[in-house]
């Protein structure tokens, strides 16, 4: 899988794990109150299924990339589909399935790894690494979207800021916009937000038997 696809998946995974994780200690009281409401709403669901649009833009480098994807989440598990690649996290291991290359990469998540994408890691990461404040309130297709700005405290962080858009009425995440210091803007917009869907008992289970001709790359 190309490095660009790895970057895409990391951004998407972080974006959706935010739904479950970082809402606890915003410095701005209004921002904290809104995030607490979002967290309370999200935690009341058994599972969440989202269809989304992903965009990557950099005018200076003449990069414009748009893709559609979907993610199913339940507790500490998720299945993510984007750009023809499927990523499964069963709570312990990551399975990245690339049909184009007929390859599956399996890796164990190390909680101590700073780059590990897990809900528990995200909780610590955002509480200690960002400042929060209310940003613009926009009317988008009849919906009131309140943006909250997150600014990294680490000056070496390549991200300038992150804008998290929240639907004021439903308290659901509408969008997440990440702006890099070099001009790259990555946007994730939620097209469909469904909850408490009937899921297969094997929804988050990887079955190697389904990929008889694939190269299984076990990193651990």
């Amino acid at each position: 899988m190309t490095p660009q696809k790895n970057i895409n998946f990391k951004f998407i995974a972080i974006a959706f794990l935010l739904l479950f994780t970082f809402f606890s200690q915003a410095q701005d009281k209004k921002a904290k109150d809104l995030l607490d409401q979002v967290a309370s709403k999200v935690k009341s669901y058994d599972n969440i299924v989202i269809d989304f649009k992903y965009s990557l833009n950099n005018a200076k480098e003449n990069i414009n990339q748009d893709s559609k994807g979907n993610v199913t989440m339940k507790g500490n598990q998720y299945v993510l589909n984007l750009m023809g690649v499927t990523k499964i996290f069963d709570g312990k291991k990551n399975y990245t399935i690339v049909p184009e290359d007929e390859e599956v990469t399996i890796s164990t998540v190390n909680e101590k790894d700073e780059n590990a994408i897990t809900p528990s890691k995200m909780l610590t990461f955002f509480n200690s690494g960002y400042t929060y404040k209310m940003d613009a309130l926009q009317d988008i297709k009849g919906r009131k979207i309140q943006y909250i700005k997150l600014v990294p405290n680490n000056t070496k962080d390549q991200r300038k800021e992150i804008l998290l858009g929240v639907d004021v009425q439903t308290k659901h995440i509408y969008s997440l916009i990440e702006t890099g210091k070099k001009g790259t803007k990555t946007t994730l917009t939620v097209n469909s937000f469904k909850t408490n869907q009937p899921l297969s008992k094997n929804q988050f289970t990887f079955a190697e038997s389904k990929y008889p001709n694939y190269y299984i790359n076990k990193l651990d």
Side-chain angles (χ1 to χ4, degrees):
M1 187 166 62
T2 65
Q4 183 60 55
K5 284 188 178 181
N6 275 319
I7 294 173
N8 291 344
F9 272 96
K10 183 173 181 178
F11 169 80
I12 296 296
I14 288 175
F16 286 116
L17 286 174
L18 288 177
L19 287 168
F20 291 97
T21 54
F22 78 95
F23 310 113
S24 61
Q25 292 182 355
Q27 290 84 349
D28 183 297
K29 187 178 185 303
K30 289 184 178 180
K32 180 183 185 305
D33 289 344
L34 180 57
L35 293 176
D36 284 345
Q37 291 178 58
V38 174
S40 178
K41 196 74 174 287
V42 167
K43 290 177 181 179
S44 70
Y45 302 133
D46 179 65
N47 62 67
I48 296 175
V49 179
I50 294 173
D51 291 328
F52 62 89
K53 177 183 177 181
Y54 168 88
S55 299
L56 177 68
N57 305 100
N58 187 314
K60 185 178 180 180
E61 300 294 333
N62 195 28
I63 297 174
N64 290 284
Q65 182 183 49
D66 292 308
S67 301
K68 291 183 178 180
N70 59 77
V71 61
T72 300
M73 299 178 291
K74 181 174 182 176
N76 199 38
Q77 302 171 310
Y78 64 84
V79 177
L80 173 66
N81 295 292
L82 179 66
M83 299 174 70
V85 177
T86 297
K87 193 176 186 71
I88 300 172
F89 179 59
D90 62 8
K92 294 182 180 179
K93 291 187 177 182
N94 278 315
Y95 303 85
T96 303
I97 305 164
V98 188
E100 182 180 355
D101 300 332
E102 293 191 333
E103 181 177 358
V104 177
T105 300
I106 304 174
S107 61
T108 300
V109 174
N110 180 1
E111 288 279 355
K112 295 181 180 180
D113 182 357
E114 292 184 357
N115 294 315
I117 302 171
T118 66
S120 58
K121 187 66 177 180
M122 286 295 97
L123 177 62
T124 304
F125 177 71
F126 279 96
N127 283 345
S128 61
Y130 290 79
T131 57
Y132 305 79
K133 68 177 182 179
M134 298 291 271
D135 202 80
L137 175 64
Q138 297 185 6
D139 189 317
I140 301 178
K141 297 181 180 180
R143 301 167 66 184
K144 297 294 184 182
I145 306 299
Q146 176 65 62
Y147 283 92
I148 297 173
K149 181 183 290 187
L150 297 80
V151 179
N153 292 329
N154 187 347
T155 57
K156 295 182 180 180
D157 197 308
Q158 294 304 305
R159 293 166 294 181
K160 180 181 179 181
E161 65 183 32
I162 296 173
L163 286 174
L164 184 70
V166 178
D167 186 310
V168 174
Q169 181 177 0
T170 65
K171 301 301 186 295
H172 290 164
I173 301 298
Y174 169 74
S175 66
L176 186 144
I177 305 168
E178 181 181 289
T179 303
K181 292 180 178 178
K182 295 184 179 180
T184 298
K185 179 177 287 187
T186 309
T187 304
L188 184 147
T189 304
V190 174
N191 294 323
S192 173
F193 191 108
K194 298 178 181 179
T195 62
N196 301 334
Q197 299 296 293
L199 302 179
S200 165
K201 64 178 182 179
N202 298 319
Q203 182 76 38
F204 307 100
T205 301
F206 171 75
E208 188 171 331
S209 60
K210 291 183 179 180
Y211 308 94
N213 300 317
Y214 280 49
Y215 171 67
I216 307 298
N217 181 21
K218 297 182 179 181
L219 300 182
D220 306 301

